[in-house]
Amino acid sequence: MNPLRTVSSWSRVSRGQLVAASVLALSLVTTSGVVGAAERHSDTPAAAARADRGWVDTWTAMPQLTEPGNMPPAPFTGQDSVLVDTTLRQTVHVTAGGSRIRLRFSNAFGTTALPITRVSVALPLDGRAGVDAIQPATTRQVTFSGRQSVTVPAGAQMVSDPLDFTLRPGSNLTVTAYLATGQQSLDLTSHPGSRTTSYLVTGDHTRDKDLPGATPVDHWYLLSDVEVVPSRAAAAAAVLGDSLSDGRGSTTNGNDRWPDQLYARFRTGSGTAGLAVLNQAAGGNRVLNDGLGPNALARLDRDILALSGVDWLIVFEGVNDIGTAPATAKDQRAVADDLIAAYEQIIVRAHAQDIQVYGATLLPFGGNEGYDDPAGLREATRRTVNNWIRTSGRFDAVLDFDRAVRDPSDVRRLSPGLQVGDWLHLTPEGYRKLAAAVPLQLFRTAKTS
């Protein structure tokens, strides 16, 4: 860690401070019912600009092109179209709370337009994740430019109108979408590693209390962001990562990935209770080359820099680059050099947006059948990269995840009780150890107090 760099970066005027000021301004304006109504309904540019201030992402999922094995099951995927006459109900676990929300639907990987006929939001039954039932009295219709339907162009996203809807910090939200005509291609945008159950059923059931006979799938489709106008000054910490952040080995519908457990610590911490945590990770993702999803350098702008209210970025990615590169001295030297150069690029680009960047050390993979080579060349690369992360001073701070979960008696391996059996991924307790290794003081600043 470079403490001097961290302290000096805190002294800058950050976007988080501007967010806090904007939230305060918005709260003052809306204390008057007359002015508040005018601000919500006026179509003047000034009113629209005021209404767009102060938003912070509270939940995100990295958009991906859906692989054949993760497409909706029959009859929801046809020969050349998907989700025709289909209701999709999914729950998401938000972080920061607020009294106004808006949604973002992504067609990032679609090659045809995505027509969404109707969308509603509600609180799930008993507040639980992964259920098909809702609390009917909380159901609200979502609109787009005042209309109930929206068509998302190929490669684009669409943002809903602001909706007065109270979300408690750390709660679950149900989003139900109906597609009358479906998408007329099989290039569907999703996040397969949801670790949360969604439901598919034929017909329009956007306002139904529950969905008897619905087909459960453990994937998210189409929805990429939920934003709030927070009830208190807030900012977000975003995670750029792979399956270790996406939560392989965590509990389905348990929300116990390490970013979830970090958020649980934020909620009880002094000066961090208003923060959001945004998980922009995907299993198999790499920093340098495309894999499951675009490489981290390619997706940085869309998945991190374009999010609302991000003040911190945690970079925890690179194991897949090392593990998929050939186990030769030449190839491993190249991947080490290229990873370090890529980290520097991420830092430069994030700093240009006044985002502090924290680097997390890479975990050991000794014993993993695919990544652990007999000569230890990939392990040497991991140590080289971790040494740079720890000592270069380029990151604003270092999160030493390696030390948190490695076996003290064999630092090439994960602690046996913290891994799921493949010597690469962690159990929920292992993810708790990662969350516990994050110093909360790195996020305690005047902008969130």
Side-chain angles (χ1 to χ4, degrees):
M1 182 191 303
N2 185 339
L4 294 178
R5 182 179 180 82
T6 303
V7 171
S8 65
S9 63
W10 282 354
S11 68
R12 298 193 306 265
V13 175
S14 71
R15 186 170 62 255
Q17 291 169 308
L18 297 178
V19 167
S22 299
V23 172
L24 177 59
L26 182 59
S27 67
L28 292 174
V29 170
T30 54
T31 54
S32 165
V34 174
V35 175
E39 183 166 325
R40 285 193 295 273
H41 300 296
S42 173
D43 58 0
T44 66
R50 286 195 298 273
D52 282 338
R53 293 175 184 154
W55 291 95
V56 174
D57 268 294
T58 184
W59 172 87
T60 59
M62 171 191 155
Q64 297 174 248
L65 176 63
T66 312
E67 299 173 282
N70 292 322
M71 292 292 287
F76 306 104
T77 296
Q79 291 275 341
D80 53 10
S81 60
V82 62
L83 300 178
V84 176
D85 188 27
T86 297
T87 292
L88 165 65
R89 177 166 287 177
Q90 41 201 353
T91 57
V92 299
H93 188 64
V94 304
T95 51
S99 58
R100 302 191 85 199
I101 68 171
R102 63 187 184 188
L103 312 178
R104 293 179 184 251
F105 286 89
S106 176
N107 193 19
F109 296 95
T111 52
T112 61
L114 170 66
I116 302 175
T117 309
R118 192 169 293 110
V119 178
S120 67
V121 294
L123 297 179
L125 182 66
D126 299 326
R128 291 182 292 153
V131 297
D132 72 301
I134 60 170
Q135 302 174 40
T138 67
T139 302
R140 297 291 307 278
Q141 180 172 304
V142 176
T143 60
F144 302 83
S145 299
R147 299 174 293 182
Q148 69 176 13
S149 62
V150 66
T151 298
V152 189
Q157 65 170 272
M158 296 295 274
V159 185
S160 76
D161 297 331
L163 177 66
D164 292 331
F165 189 97
T166 299
L167 277 178
R168 292 183 296 104
S171 61
N172 293 306
L173 172 71
T174 298
V175 179
T176 308
Y178 172 63
L179 289 74
T181 61
Q183 187 162 19
Q184 299 306 303
S185 81
L186 299 182
D187 295 323
L188 181 67
T189 301
S190 71
H191 187 84
S194 64
R195 275 84 197 181
T196 305
T197 305
S198 303
Y199 296 88
L200 299 165
V201 65
T202 300
D204 182 358
H205 300 274
T206 49
R207 299 188 68 86
D208 288 10
K209 177 182 178 180
D210 53 21
L211 304 178
T215 300
V217 289
D218 289 342
H219 311 301
W220 285 313
Y221 299 105
L222 311 181
L223 184 67
S224 63
D225 301 58
V226 177
E227 297 173 283
V228 297
V229 175
S231 52
R232 57 186 297 176
V239 176
L240 189 69
D242 50 34
S243 58
L244 286 161
S245 299
D246 204 27
R248 183 169 175 178
S250 64
T251 308
T252 298
N253 299 318
N255 291 307
D256 52 16
R257 314 162 188 84
W258 77 261
D260 300 318
Q261 299 194 61
L262 174 61
Y263 173 69
R265 291 187 63 214
F266 278 175
R267 285 190 66 189
T268 60
S270 173
T272 59
L275 299 182
V277 177
L278 309 176
N279 192 343
Q280 292 289 69
N285 198 241
R286 293 184 288 184
V287 175
L288 302 170
N289 297 299
D290 292 352
L292 294 182
N295 66 79
L297 287 176
R299 68 185 181 91
L300 181 68
D301 290 275
R302 181 197 66 201
D303 290 350
I304 302 296
L305 304 185
L307 298 180
S308 300
V310 173
D311 273 10
W312 303 276
L313 168 61
I314 298 172
V315 180
F316 180 38
E317 190 163 4
V319 162
N320 291 326
D321 296 84
I322 296 170
T324 58
T328 69
K330 177 181 178 182
D331 287 304
Q332 288 301 309
R333 280 196 301 272
V335 77
D337 291 343
D338 290 347
L339 271 177
I340 289 168
Y343 294 147
E344 291 187 315
Q345 286 290 308
I346 291 169
I347 293 165
V348 167
R349 288 162 62 184
H351 280 172
Q353 301 299 318
D354 196 26
I355 296 172
Q356 295 182 76
V357 189
Y358 301 159
T361 52
L362 305 181
L363 305 191
F365 43 76
N368 179 264
E369 184 177 348
Y371 286 3
D372 187 15
D373 63 287
L377 294 171
R378 293 190 178 113
E379 168 64 12
T381 300
R382 185 186 74 90
R383 294 190 186 192
T384 296
V385 171
N386 277 353
N387 183 64
W388 183 87
I389 291 172
R390 290 184 178 111
T391 65
S392 69
R394 295 290 288 123
F395 285 107
D396 294 299
V398 172
L399 312 180
D400 207 336
F401 286 175
D402 171 36
R403 285 198 174 97
V405 295
R406 71 191 185 192
D407 186 346
S409 63
D410 184 357
V411 296
R412 297 176 58 257
R413 292 176 176 252
L414 296 168
S415 181
L418 300 179
Q419 56 91 32
V420 296
D422 65 359
W423 298 98
L424 184 62
H425 298 97
L426 299 174
T427 64
E429 174 60 16
Y431 290 130
R432 188 194 68 79
K433 294 277 191 181
L434 295 189
V438 179
L440 294 191
Q441 63 265 28
L442 295 176
F443 304 88
R444 289 176 181 148
T445 69
K447 57 194 163 191
T448 58
S449 60

